[in-house]
């Protein structure tokens, strides 16, 4: 009370139209009401004098908000990669591979059970695929760090190997052949999953991995949405799961073609570069009489 009375004289406190507590008297909270009233009077005076200036300021504020939202999106995704031909081919390859990469294991138990095998044998096949999948991820990751092979060729080989394994499943007439096909599929699938972010980091840099891998996963989701209805339709039309495996395996094998086209274009450009540089050197060199 003593501090509050020292700050403000008693008649001013009594004449105040709003009653405050003791803490408000010590902190002089009436300044908040004074500030609000002063701001309102200032805005009314500005709008009365120049209303166009206020509208321009509001438009500028809205534009700043829109720009800040676009900048936030640009921090996570760089949409300029969609103009790159090599990146589009990479996305197409991932889409074709994703048509069968997770769904083969989903339809495998039902297919094996329809062929007369027991549920325990179907479980063994899934376990074999999962074990070799882990071996492929760990083993190929260690080998790729040693740089013993070209990662792009390893990526293409893993796609083709997984696709051929899926195509061989409907043609297998014994449990051992079926186990070998499923094991090859799991091994190649683990290698493929490992090499996708590695190739993106090698080609576009680790600082752009959030944008490149995010866009690739976006294209992968398109195949993930479209494949189950198509597989169900083929199952209803044909009456068996063999057509589903043939469709998935064909799409997986075709997933290696986009990177083959990109590799051929890159090799052609590299072969043409030395010839062009030699021609430029011959033109630039002065002729001697």
């Amino acid at each position: 009370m003593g501090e509050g009375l020292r700050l403000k004289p008693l008649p001013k406190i009594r004449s105040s139209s709003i009653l405050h507590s003791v803490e408000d008297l010590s902190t002089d909270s009436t300044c908040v009401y004074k500030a609000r009233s002063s701001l309102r009077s200032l805005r009314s005076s500005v709008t009365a004098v120049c209303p166009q200036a206020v509208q321009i300021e509001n438009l500028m504020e809205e534009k700043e908000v829109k720009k800040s939202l676009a900048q936030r999106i640009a921090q996570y995704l760089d949409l300029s990669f969609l103009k790159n031909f090599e990146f589009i081919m990479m996305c197409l390859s991932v889409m074709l591979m994703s048509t069968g990469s997770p769904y083969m294991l989903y339809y495998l138990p039902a297919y094996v059970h329809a062929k007369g095998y027991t549920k325990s044998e179907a479980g063994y096949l899934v376990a074999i695929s999962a074990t070799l999948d882990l071996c492929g991820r760990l083993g190929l990751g260690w080998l790729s760090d040693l740089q013993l092979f070209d990662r792009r060729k390893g990526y293409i080989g893993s796609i083709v190997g997984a696709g051929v394994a899926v195509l061989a499943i409907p043609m297998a007439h014994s449990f051992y052949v079926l186990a070998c096909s499923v094991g090859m599929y799991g091994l190649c699938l683990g290698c493929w999953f490992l090499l996708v972010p590695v190739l993106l980091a090698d080609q576009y840099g680790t600082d752009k991995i959030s944008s490149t891998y995010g866009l690739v996963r976006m294209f992968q989701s398109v195949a993930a949405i479209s494949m189950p209805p198509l597989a169900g339709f083929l199952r209803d039309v044909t009456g068996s799961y063999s057509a589903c495996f043939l469709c998935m395996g064909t799409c997986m094998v075709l997933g290696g073609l986009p990177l083959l086209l990109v590799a051929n274009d890159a090799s052609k450009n590299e072969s043409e570069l030395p010839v062009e540089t030699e021609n430029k050197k011959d033109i630039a060199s002065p002729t001697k009489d």
Side-chain angles (χ1 to χ4, degrees):
M1 286 294 293
E3 293 178 357
L5 293 173
R6 289 176 186 174
L7 291 173
K8 295 181 69 175
L10 188 59
K12 290 186 178 181
I13 294 174
R14 290 177 180 176
S15 62
S16 177
S17 61
I18 301 174
L19 296 178
H20 302 279
S21 62
V22 178
E23 295 179 356
D24 294 332
L25 293 174
S26 62
T27 56
D28 192 13
S29 63
T30 55
C31 63
V32 178
Y33 300 100
K34 293 176 183 178
R36 288 179 180 176
S37 61
S38 61
L39 286 173
R40 289 174 182 173
S41 61
L42 181 60
R43 287 178 181 175
S44 61
S45 62
V46 170
T47 54
V49 175
C50 49
Q52 296 179 354
V54 177
Q55 294 177 358
I56 292 171
E57 290 180 358
N58 294 331
L59 292 175
M60 292 296 292
E61 290 178 357
E62 291 179 358
K63 289 181 179 179
E64 288 178 358
V65 171
K66 292 180 180 179
K67 288 181 180 179
S68 63
L69 181 61
Q71 290 174 358
R72 289 177 182 178
I73 296 174
Q75 289 177 358
Y76 300 100
L77 288 177
D78 189 3
L79 299 178
S80 63
F81 285 106
L82 297 177
K83 301 178 181 179
N84 191 349
F85 177 74
E86 295 182 0
F87 182 76
I88 294 298
M89 290 294 102
M90 182 68 180
C91 294
L92 181 60
S93 174
V94 173
M95 283 180 61
L96 292 172
M97 180 64 180
S98 299
T99 56
S101 59
Y103 299 110
M104 194 281 290
L105 293 177
Y106 297 163
Y107 299 110
L108 182 64
Y111 172 77
V112 172
H113 184 67
K115 288 295 182 180
Y117 297 98
T118 62
K119 293 182 179 180
S120 60
E121 290 174 342
Y124 292 151
L125 293 175
V126 175
I128 291 171
S129 176
T131 303
L132 290 177
D133 187 356
L134 179 62
C135 295
R137 292 172 189 255
L138 297 178
L140 190 69
W142 177 64
L143 293 175
S144 64
D145 291 337
L146 296 177
Q147 297 181 356
L148 298 177
F149 60 93
D150 188 4
R151 292 174 178 174
R152 186 184 294 272
K153 294 180 180 178
Y155 176 88
I156 297 172
S158 63
I159 290 178
V160 175
V164 171
V166 174
L167 289 174
I169 289 175
M171 303 175 186
H173 298 288
S174 65
F175 181 79
Y176 297 103
V177 176
L178 192 61
C180 293
S181 301
V182 173
M184 182 179 177
Y185 165 80
L187 181 65
C188 295
L189 182 65
C191 298
W192 173 74
F193 269 118
L194 176 73
L195 288 174
V196 171
V198 173
L199 285 179
L200 292 174
D202 290 342
Q203 190 169 0
Y204 304 103
T206 56
D207 54 341
K208 298 291 185 180
I209 192 65
S210 60
S211 298
T212 54
Y213 194 64
L215 291 172
V216 165
R217 294 285 289 180
M218 182 183 71
F219 281 92
Q220 185 179 356
S221 64
V222 176
I225 294 172
S226 60
M227 189 58 200
L230 179 60
F233 176 74
L234 293 175
R235 170 67 177 80
D236 295 336
V237 171
T238 59
S240 65
Y241 291 96
S242 299
C244 300
F245 286 99
L246 292 175
C247 179
M248 288 187 291
T250 303
C251 292
M252 293 169 69
V253 171
L254 292 176
L257 292 179
L259 290 186
L260 286 175
L261 295 175
V262 172
N264 291 330
D265 292 339
S267 62
K268 287 180 181 179
N269 293 330
E270 289 178 357
S271 61
E272 290 176 359
L273 282 175
V275 177
E276 292 179 356
T277 53
E278 289 178 359
N279 293 331
K280 289 181 180 178
K281 288 181 180 179
D282 294 336
I283 293 171
S285 60
T287 56
K288 295 182 180 180
D289 295 335

